[in-house]
Amino acid sequence: PEAHLIGLSPETSYSIRVTATNAKGTVSKTISYQTNPARPAAFVGEIGTVTETTAHASGSILPRSSETQWRFEYAASKGGPWTHGPEGIISNAEASENYSMVSGDLAGLSPHTTYYVRLFAKNVNGGATSETPVGFETAGAPAVTTFAVHALHGEALRALGSVRTDGFD
């Protein structure tokens, strides 16, 4: 037998019983299954191009064929509080059962600070936040530390120290 069921709710468990009867008797079998979720899924991809006060974030959204709003959120700790960052909409025309790439620039960050980024997505079927926030550290102005100064002779001296460049020339 074959059946097409319509009007089922997403993320719901259902049971179907099939019964067959003939001259030899009756047999019945029940199977259970759960329908797929309809709410979106969100994943942070990577953090690229980090400066003292900005960072470029990318990720992917699975809109599950519904118009989906999304936004990056960032915080100085994994537990928040979360600040809303770049946001956008995946329209009904763009929404499918395939992943959509999203990206944006986080701004107003503090130098030499560790931040965590997550991605939130919401459609008519509910919302979802990426599971694990991705961490990164902002750059900062170079720092100079002097270790020692030595008089060599006459009018000359030698200073030893270090410079922290944060990866910049």
Side-chain angles (χ1 to χ4, degrees):
E2 182 177 308
H4 296 277
L5 304 174
I6 58 172
L8 303 177
S9 297
E11 299 181 61
T12 304
S13 294
Y14 290 94
S15 295
I16 296 177
R17 180 176 36 230
V18 176
T19 303
T21 303
N22 66 17
K24 301 274 184 182
T26 299
V27 67
S28 191
K29 178 161 179 134
T30 302
I31 60 167
S32 297
Y33 67 94
Q34 182 161 342
T35 53
N36 291 328
R39 60 190 164 93
F43 305 92
V44 174
E46 61 181 42
I47 307 300
T49 313
V50 178
T51 70
E52 290 179 306
T53 59
T54 64
H56 185 76
S58 65
S60 57
I61 304 288
L62 181 58
R64 302 202 201 274
S65 300
S66 294
E67 180 176 281
T68 301
Q69 297 174 341
W70 60 268
R71 72 173 175 261
F72 285 100
E73 299 175 336
Y74 62 94
S77 75
K78 284 185 179 180
W82 297 95
T83 300
H84 292 191
E87 58 186 45
I89 294 176
I90 299 168
S91 70
N92 273 328
E94 300 168 318
S96 69
E97 287 298 321
N98 297 317
Y99 287 94
S100 295
M101 301 304 293
V102 297
S103 65
D105 291 323
L106 309 175
L109 307 177
S110 297
H112 290 298
T113 304
T114 298
Y115 286 96
Y116 297 90
V117 178
R118 66 185 189 180
L119 184 55
F120 174 78
K122 178 177 79 170
N123 65 23
V124 296
N125 299 301
T129 302
S130 56
E131 288 186 21
T132 305
V134 174
F136 69 95
E137 184 175 347
T138 54
V144 176
T145 304
T146 301
F147 294 121
V149 176
H150 301 283
L152 294 177
H153 55 80
E155 297 175 3
L157 63 89
R158 181 177 174 197
L160 301 173
S162 68
V163 175
R164 185 187 70 227
T165 64
D166 283 342
F168 293 97
D169 291 338

